[in-house]
Structure formats: C-alpha cells, structure tokens
Amino acid sequence: MADNETTATSGRTATLSDVARMAGVSIATASKAINGRDDVAPATRQRVLDAAKKISFTPNELARSLINGRTGTVGLLTSDLEGRFVIPILMGAEDAFGAGQVNVFLCDARGDSIREQHHLSALLTRRVDGIIVVGRSTDPRPSLGHEIPVPVVYAYAPSVDPTDVSLTPDNREGGRMAVEHLIACGRSRIAMITGDPEYAAARDRVVGVREALAQAGLSLVGTPMFSEWSEHWGRDASALLLRQYPDIDGIVCGSDQIARGVLDTVRDLGRSVPADVAAVSFDNWEILATNSRPELTSIDANLQQLGRTAATRIFEAIEGTEVTPGVEYVPGRLVIRGSTIARR
Amino acid sequence: MADNETTATSGRTATLSDVARMAGVSIATASKAINGRDDVAPATRQRVLDAAKKISFTPNELARSLINGRTGTVGLLTSDLEGRFVIPILMGAEDAFGAGQVNVFLCDARGDSIREQHHLSALLTRRVDGIIVVGRSTDPRPSLGHEIPVPVVYAYAPSVDPTDVSLTPDNREGGRMAVEHLIACGRSRIAMITGDPEYAAARDRVVGVREALAQAGLSLVGTPMFSEWSEHWGRDASALLLRQYPDIDGIVCGSDQIARGVLDTVRDLGRSVPADVAAVSFDNWEILATNSRPELTSIDANLQQLGRTAATRIFEAIEGTEVTPGVEYVPGRLVIRGSTIARR
DNA sequence: CTGTTAGCGCATTCAC
DNA sequence: GTGAATGCGCTAACAG
C-alpha cells in the first residue's frame, strides 16, 4: 500500500536513460526524439516514444530548468487573506500564461512583512521567472526593491515606487461611471455612502463622483459619508441621509455590502428602489449583488482582466520587451441590474 | 532599466562556485559552510558567508531538489472557481507545512477534467512531493488513480475510491449540532430549508437533523425543503413554510445565504428572530453571517483545520508513515450569534 | 578540516 | 542519423 509501482521495471520514477536503454539508443537520441527535434529517424523516434509510454516516463522539469535557466513558474505573493481579490487575479494570470505552461506558486503573507520576506526568498530560491504582488487594498504598498533578479509586477495595490510596474483598478473612472449611469437614469439628487476613508479606493471613487457631477452641472447632496465597508453602515448611513435629504433620488454606494444595507433601509422606510431611489455600488460581488431585492447595479473592477494583464507584463519583461514602469489604471465595467433600472 | 545587476561581479545570478572562488575555498567547502555543516573551521565559514552575502548568493533549490529527490513543493489541484472553500484550505495547508518550507502550486481546473489532467501532468513533471485535490462540493469525485508516484489527499470532495485518502466536512454531525443547539434554546417545532438536493451536503445535513430530532423525541415540521443555495429561495421557502406551519419556532437553514433570505421574510411577516423563530445555518461565511439583523448562528466547517490535516497527511505519507486510507470526517463547530440567542 | 571525484536528469555541441 | 562528451548548480561520499 505504501509503495507506488510505476508500472515500470524499477521501483523509482523512470528517467530518460531508462527510456534510452529500453529503446536501444543513446540518451541524446532519446532526448531529441522526445522533444520533437527533426534530426531523428522516424523509426527510431517511434521506438523511443513507445518505450517512454510503456514505462510512463515523465520528463523531469527540474533538470530542464537547471539547464535553460527558466522554470516556467511564477510566484503570486499576496496579503489578501480572504482571497476575494486574489482569486480572480490568479485566474486571469493562469489564463494569460496558458494552463499547464506556467505554474503559479501562491504565497499568502497574511499581511506580515516578515512572512512576506520569507516567501520572497523561497520564491527566488526556487527560481521563479517572475513575481506578481497582490495587495489587499488599492493603497500603494512598499516596493520589494530593485535587487530582485526577476521581473515584478504589482497588482491591485500599486507600488509606492514609480519605477516599478503596477496595475490597479481605476476607481476614479469608476466613480464617474456610477454617476453618469445615475444621471442617464434621470437622477439628479445624488448622495454618496462609502467605506473607510483610510482606503484610497474610498477617496478615489468620491473624486470621480464629484467630477462627473460637476460635469453635469450638479453637485453631491450632503457630504460623502465615510465609515466602514459594512451592511450595518449602509443601513445606518442611509437612514440618516434620507431623513436629512428626503428628496434624494440616487445613491452611490462604496461597496455592494454598503448597498445591501442601503436597500434594507430604503425598504424599511417604505420607499422603493429604483423607483424612488436608485442605487449603484462597487465590486460586483455576485453573491451579494444578485441576491438582493432588487439586484444590484454594480461596477466590476475587472480583476480577472487585471490578472491577465499582470501576467502579460511579466511575460513581456521575461522576453526582454521594454515594459514602461508606472501605474497602469485598469478600467472597470458597469453591470446594470435592478437597483437602477426596474425590471419589467 | 532592463538589466538587473546583482550587486555582484557578474551580470548573472551568483552561483556557489562564485562564492567559493571569492572566499578562496573549494565548492564543496562553500557548500558545507553555507548549509551549516559542522566540519568547517569557523574562520573559513565566516569567509564563505561574507562572500555569499556580498554577491547576494541565493542557493538554487532546483539543483538541490535534483539531488535529494524532493522539491519541497506540493500541488493544490482545485475545481473551486470561487475560491470560497479552497482559500481556507490553502491557508491551513500553508500553516501546517510551515511558511517558506514548502511552497504550494495552485492550479484551477475550472471543473474541466481535461484541464485537470494537464495540470496534473504539469505538477508531476515539476516533481511536486504531494498533491491535494480540492473539490467544489462534498460529493465524491473521481479518483486520480493510483499510478501517481506521489501521495494524493482529497479534501472537501472525497474520492469515490475508498483506498484513497480523503478528508471531508462532517455534515451529518453538523446537522445534529444545529438541532441540538435549537433544542437547547428551547425550540421544538423545527423545520428545515436547504439547497440543491443533488448535493450530498444538503442531504447529509438533513440526515443529521433528523437523527438529533429523533433522539429528542421530536420530528421535523413538514418535509425538508430542497431547492437552491440562494437568498431568494430562503425568502420564498420560509414564506411558504410559515404560512403552512405558523407555530414553527426554529429553522435549520442549509447555508448562510438561505438564512439571510429567511431572516428577511420572518421580518417582513412581522415576526422576530430569535424571539419567535430561531435560525441556525451552515458555512459561517462571515461576510454574510455577521452583517445580518440579527447576526447568524452558523456551523463553521473548519476548512482551515481540514487544510492543515490534509497537509499533515501528505507529510506523513512522504515520511513513509502508514496513512490509513478512507474518508475522514472533519467535525465542524457551532458559532453562536444573535439568530438563536438574543443579545442583551 | 579541506579538496577531489562522482553523480542528480537532462540538453546540447560536435565528431563519427 | 547517432552517440560520446560536457555541463547546468549543487551535495555526498571519500581521500588527503
């Protein structure tokens, strides 16, 4: 039960020399045959391939990597405990790399810089070809520095160092999109309830919101309400807001969670969404957005796209292409649901 | 901008022989010095260490692995797109392995068996020391077979093959815990609303619920309501249920999402949770459980613990310890909040 | 204590 | 076309 026979002659995993011996050729020839080099006689190649299959030979990628200096692996260094951001990014990266071509080491630093350093050295020691650093907020994070011998791309949280390559959601543009959509829905008395003001995401969205309002000759009703990213806050803030400004007809919510709270309160107050008050939020966290009454119109940050782009940048850097440093802002997309446009 | 000088003499990453040359010793001695072997003169060791630091030498783990046959990596093969289950499991596994000691390749097969096969070969080619397979439900999944030369542990979704090693949440016991808690809260008219009957998780929990009720001389009010794992269903089902059996005083919900829907409806009907109706659910998905009114009492599947155990089993198998095959059921834990016991 | 020798598994010259 | 030789970076016996 303990030993896993490899269907083969030996008890160990088969090596190329096993294949060569079995096919009656040299290791070199076996290598060429298996790697599809064209300077091998068709008959010989077939013999080698048959032998390889028979003993279920699996090339040892470690040995290959040792030779050509590339491992076909990248490290994904994250601090995003919950995995809410990192997973879509990881999926996007896997897409871009092509499944099975490149493998990803996922390391969770738990927000601890010591642990991050440990993981970083582990990754370098394993000779990853590149590193994607995923932060847990869009606030700039410390750079890993330039002493790292492989390309590094910062995703979600940009690096504070402008000479690094960073990708982050365009929250300002997101704020604009939210307001433009509300205006398109015929709203003009628009307020904003958002999360923790310590977060750049919260502040950036407000900036965008104000810009779009100004451009339409409007301005925010009341001041943006900052506190926490929770349903509780959404409930409390909207109660206060609607009491103070009963004629509000549109609310931009800093997150789907906040929007859920807002919906609860509006409902409790006997008003209707979207007829009386329309709500648009951020994140497009499906589990929240598609289960509310009504469903939430929300701005998706396109994280999977962000992951794909990150992978592409890594690739380019590996290939030697010049990658322009700096922060690249990845646009979001508006997903329209029932909280802004009534279903019929 | 393109070249990353390694602070060192050459333009390439430093190797052990660079260190040796610089310290004026042989490669072998340098190796011993760096690896803390005790047959090196203190002075020599210091010279080597200094040299290594100066050219920022990083040992090449690939070369090491090639020699000792172990890579210190494991593969996490998942089909859980959303990452809701896989992330806690991954974190548990990282814990158990010890951060930095072992690195994890995370591969998402997207529920596609072709892609899974690709990832599997990629992992084997990279010579991972073990593989953890994480399913997206607790329904048994196909085995990867026994031809695999490294230990495999199935987590969350057990393997259909009883000779494989599997770990899965104990949903039956979870069902019992839920009912026992409701009974302890003084409830006796208990109903159940749960998700898709195709899921073993849904069925297993019902079994546990019935067992615990029977043991207390009670039985379920009505029949278990199966449909989907959504808030919508929770709302609809509870409306129906409470109309049919107005004297219900406890509801076991198949998931936190369903519970959220139930809470909405109970509230809409002018009844109070937990005073009139107590609700307990499954998953303890914090974002849902701690943001409702009242917060949800929920059964946590202890996935992080499950991940830790999975890693431990892999470890044991690698070390040659005999690991008993079969399905191991990991107990959950009850997290009590306001939906069963009123806050004061 | 230190250095020499021999590989780990494979790909790549370059003669034959 | 094929195979012997060389080396990727490192460790593990052995000699000295």
Side-chain angles (χ1 to χ4, degrees):
Chain A
M1 193 75 261
D3 52 353
N4 276 293
E5 293 292 333
T6 326
T7 328
T9 26
S10 70
R12 259 182 32 276
T13 33
T15 96
L16 188 57
S17 74
D18 296 335
V19 177
R21 195 175 330 110
M22 176 166 254
V25 297
S26 76
I27 298 185
T29 304
S31 170
K32 291 170 194 159
I34 287 185
N35 293 332
R37 304 286 296 262
D38 48 344
D39 38 359
V40 178
T44 313
R45 155 159 303 136
Q46 199 50 53
R47 273 213 321 288
V48 172
L49 259 35
D50 289 347
K53 181 180 298 174
K54 177 172 290 177
I55 62 179
S56 63
F57 165 74
T58 314
N60 187 328
E61 187 62 35
L62 297 176
R64 285 183 152 155
S65 305
L66 196 53
I67 293 171
N68 65 26
R70 282 211 200 156
T71 55
T73 62
V74 308
L76 195 46
L77 197 49
T78 175
S79 318
D80 171 27
L81 315 181
E82 313 183 20
R84 195 166 124 224
F85 304 131
V86 79
I87 287 292
I89 292 175
L90 169 65
M91 287 174 59
E94 268 201 326
D95 275 359
F97 285 135
Q101 292 293 62
V102 171
N103 280 100
V104 179
F105 280 119
L106 182 49
C107 305
D108 187 350
R110 316 274 164 99
D112 174 0
S113 68
I114 306 280
R115 196 186 289 244
E116 178 172 282
Q117 197 54 48
H118 269 274
H119 272 140
L120 176 58
S121 352
L123 289 175
L124 293 179
T125 232
R126 296 200 192 290
R127 295 295 189 265
V128 292
D129 295 333
I131 296 178
I132 300 178
V133 181
V134 180
R136 66 172 135 191
S137 79
T138 62
D139 293 84
R141 54 149 288 147
S143 173
L144 292 182
H146 286 238
E147 303 290 88
I148 298 175
V150 296
V152 178
V153 170
Y154 298 80
Y156 203 73
S159 163
V160 291
D161 184 339
T163 65
D164 285 326
V165 177
S166 302
L167 295 167
T168 194
D170 192 341
N171 278 310
R172 189 164 147 196
E173 173 60 19
R176 278 187 227 113
M177 290 168 63
V179 165
E180 282 161 11
H181 175 58
L182 285 177
I183 291 176
C185 292
R187 313 302 162 132
S188 58
R189 305 275 308 157
I190 297 171
M192 174 144 199
I193 300 173
T194 188
D196 190 335
E198 296 290 311
Y199 283 65
R203 301 190 304 270
D204 294 344
R205 288 166 187 169
V206 169
V207 171
V209 162
R210 289 207 144 111
E211 283 174 358
L213 283 170
Q215 193 170 339
L218 299 172
S219 63
L220 208 55
V221 175
T223 57
M225 305 183 73
F226 290 98
S227 178
E228 48 172 58
W229 305 102
S230 71
E231 292 193 44
H232 291 299
W233 168 239
R235 284 194 284 263
D236 298 348
S238 52
L240 189 63
L241 198 62
L242 288 170
R243 187 142 39 81
Q244 213 172 348
Y245 307 100
D247 59 346
I248 281 175
D249 60 8
I251 301 180
V252 179
C253 305
S255 73
D256 292 331
Q257 294 180 68
I258 290 176
R260 290 292 302 252
V262 168
L263 257 51
D264 276 0
T265 292
V266 173
R267 189 183 168 77
D268 284 355
L269 295 180
R271 304 179 68 175
S272 151
V273 175
D276 302 325
V277 181
V280 53
S281 54
F282 287 84
D283 293 350
N284 191 31
W285 198 357
E286 302 246 343
I287 205 74
L288 293 174
T290 65
N291 278 290
S292 56
R293 289 178 297 180
E295 300 190 348
L296 299 175
T297 292
S298 189
I299 291 174
D300 190 298
N302 278 337
L303 294 179
Q304 197 157 344
Q305 173 59 44
L306 198 149
R308 266 197 294 275
T309 309
T312 307
R313 294 284 170 281
I314 293 279
F315 242 149
E316 291 169 353
I318 293 175
E319 299 298 334
T321 310
E322 198 68 28
V323 177
T324 45
V327 180
E328 178 177 342
Y329 292 91
V330 178
R333 69 175 196 279
L334 177 72
V335 179
I336 301 178
R337 299 200 186 84
S339 68
T340 52
I341 298 189
R343 309 182 69 173
R344 23 170 53 202
Chain B
M1 194 74 262
D3 53 352
N4 276 292
E5 291 293 332
T6 328
T7 329
T9 27
S10 71
R12 258 182 34 277
T13 33
T15 98
L16 189 56
S17 74
D18 295 336
V19 176
R21 193 174 332 110
M22 176 166 254
V25 297
S26 76
I27 299 184
T29 304
S31 170
K32 291 171 194 160
I34 285 184
N35 293 333
R37 304 283 298 260
D38 49 343
D39 38 0
V40 177
T44 313
R45 156 160 302 138
Q46 199 51 53
R47 273 214 321 289
V48 172
L49 260 35
D50 290 346
K53 181 180 298 173
K54 177 173 292 178
I55 62 178
S56 63
F57 164 74
T58 313
N60 187 329
E61 188 63 34
L62 297 176
R64 285 181 161 163
S65 305
L66 196 53
I67 293 170
N68 65 27
R70 284 211 201 157
T71 55
T73 62
V74 308
L76 195 46
L77 197 49
T78 175
S79 319
D80 172 27
L81 316 180
E82 313 184 19
R84 193 166 126 224
F85 304 130
V86 79
I87 287 293
I89 291 175
L90 169 64
M91 288 174 60
E94 267 201 327
D95 275 359
F97 285 134
Q101 293 293 61
V102 171
N103 280 101
V104 178
F105 280 119
L106 183 47
C107 305
D108 188 350
R110 316 273 165 100
D112 174 359
S113 68
I114 306 280
R115 198 187 288 245
E116 179 173 280
Q117 196 55 47
H118 268 275
H119 272 139
L120 176 59
S121 352
L123 290 174
L124 293 178
T125 234
R126 297 201 191 291
R127 295 295 189 265
V128 293
D129 295 334
I131 297 178
I132 300 178
V133 180
V134 181
R136 65 173 135 188
S137 80
T138 62
D139 294 82
R141 54 149 286 146
S143 173
L144 292 183
H146 287 240
E147 302 291 86
I148 299 174
V150 297
V152 178
V153 170
Y154 297 80
Y156 203 73
S159 165
V160 291
D161 184 339
T163 65
D164 284 327
V165 178
S166 302
L167 295 166
T168 195
D170 193 341
N171 278 310
R172 189 165 147 193
E173 172 62 17
R176 281 188 225 111
M177 291 169 64
V179 165
E180 281 162 10
H181 176 58
L182 285 177
I183 292 176
C185 293
R187 312 302 162 131
S188 58
R189 305 274 308 158
I190 297 171
M192 173 143 200
I193 300 172
T194 188
D196 190 337
E198 295 291 311
Y199 283 65
R203 301 190 305 268
D204 294 343
R205 288 165 188 169
V206 169
V207 171
V209 162
R210 289 208 143 111
E211 283 174 359
L213 284 170
Q215 194 169 338
L218 298 171
S219 62
L220 206 56
V221 175
T223 55
M225 305 183 73
F226 290 98
S227 178
E228 48 171 57
W229 306 102
S230 72
E231 293 193 44
H232 291 298
W233 168 239
R235 283 194 284 263
D236 297 347
S238 53
L240 189 63
L241 198 63
L242 288 170
R243 187 142 38 83
Q244 211 172 352
Y245 307 100
D247 58 346
I248 282 173
D249 60 8
I251 300 180
V252 180
C253 306
S255 73
D256 292 331
Q257 293 181 67
I258 290 176
R260 289 292 301 254
V262 169
L263 257 52
D264 275 0
T265 291
V266 173
R267 188 184 169 76
D268 284 356
L269 295 180
R271 304 179 67 174
S272 151
V273 175
D276 303 323
V277 181
V280 53
S281 54
F282 287 84
D283 294 349
N284 190 33
W285 198 358
E286 302 246 342
I287 204 73
L288 292 174
T290 66
N291 278 289
S292 56
R293 289 177 296 180
E295 300 190 349
L296 298 176
T297 291
S298 190
I299 291 173
D300 190 299
N302 278 336
L303 294 179
Q304 198 156 345
Q305 173 59 43
L306 197 149
R308 267 197 294 276
T309 308
T312 307
R313 293 285 171 278
I314 292 277
F315 242 149
E316 291 169 351
I318 293 175
E319 300 297 334
T321 311
E322 198 67 28
V323 176
T324 45
V327 180
E328 179 177 341
Y329 292 91
V330 178
R333 67 176 197 279
L334 178 72
V335 179
I336 301 177
R337 298 202 186 83
S339 67
T340 53
I341 297 188
R343 311 182 69 173
R344 21 171 51 203

